[in-house]
Amino acid sequence: MTKLVIESDELPYTSLLIKTAIVDELKTISWAIEMTIRRLKEFEQKYKKTSVEFYQQFQKGITGDSEEVMEWAGEYETLLRLQQNFSRLKEIEIGDRRLF
C-alpha cells in the first residue's frame, strides 16, 4: 500500500487533481495492457503454448535466444510490469482514504 500525504491550502482541489492524474494513468496502462496481451496472443497462437509456459521455459534457458524469443519474453515482462504498476496505483491512499 502507498499512502500519500498532501499539505495544501486547497486540499479538496489538490486531491481531485491527483486522483484525476492517477485515473488518466490507469487508462493509459489499461490500454497498454490490452495491446501487450494482443501481441502475446499472436505468439501463443503461433507456438501453441501460453506465455506463462513459454516464460518458464525461457527462464530455464530452453527456448534459445532468437530475436522472436527475446521479443516474446520482453512483451511478457512488459505485461507483468504494467500489471504491477496498475495494481500499485489502485492501492494509493490520500490521507486515510483510498482513492479507488
Side-chain angles (χ1 to χ4, degrees), residues 13-55:
Y13 175 76
T14 304
S15 293
L16 179 61
L17 186 62
I18 291 169
K19 183 174 182 174
T20 301
I22 291 172
V23 166
D24 287 346
E25 184 63 14
L26 287 169
K27 289 177 187 175
T28 300
I29 292 171
S30 291
W31 176 84
I33 287 171
E34 287 178 31
M35 295 300 106
T36 304
I37 288 172
R38 284 186 192 170
R39 183 67 179 125
L40 289 172
K41 285 183 181 181
E42 292 173 11
F43 286 115
E44 292 171 350
Q45 290 171 355
K46 182 175 181 178
Y47 292 100
K48 310 284 190 254
K49 66 173 87 172
T50 68
S51 291
V52 172
E53 292 169 326
F54 158 76
Y55 197 70

Side-chain angles (χ1 to χ4, degrees), residues 3-95:
K3 187 173 267 193
L4 202 57
V5 177
I6 301 170
E7 293 183 21
S8 173
D9 294 335
E10 298 178 21
L11 187 59
Y13 175 76
T14 304
S15 293
L16 179 61
L17 186 62
I18 291 169
K19 183 174 182 174
T20 301
I22 291 172
V23 166
D24 287 346
E25 184 63 14
L26 287 169
K27 289 177 187 175
T28 300
I29 292 171
S30 291
W31 176 84
I33 287 171
E34 287 178 31
M35 295 300 106
T36 304
I37 288 172
R38 284 186 192 170
R39 183 67 179 125
L40 289 172
K41 285 183 181 181
E42 292 173 11
F43 286 115
E44 292 171 350
Q45 290 171 355
K46 182 175 181 178
Y47 292 100
K48 310 284 190 254
K49 66 173 87 172
T50 68
S51 291
V52 172
E53 292 169 326
F54 158 76
Y55 197 70
Q56 288 170 345
Q57 294 171 354
F58 175 77
Q59 288 182 308
K60 293 176 184 174
I62 297 171
T63 59
D65 62 355
S66 71
E67 184 176 333
E68 197 164 46
V69 163
M70 299 308 285
E71 186 178 344
W72 191 356
E75 289 288 340
Y76 186 72
E77 289 169 351
T78 297
L79 177 63
L80 296 177
R81 189 176 62 253
L82 288 167
Q83 290 172 331
Q84 185 178 54
N85 290 347
F86 188 89
S87 293
R88 285 182 178 162
L89 284 173
K90 293 274 295 187
E91 293 174 355
I92 291 176
E93 293 181 2
I94 295 181

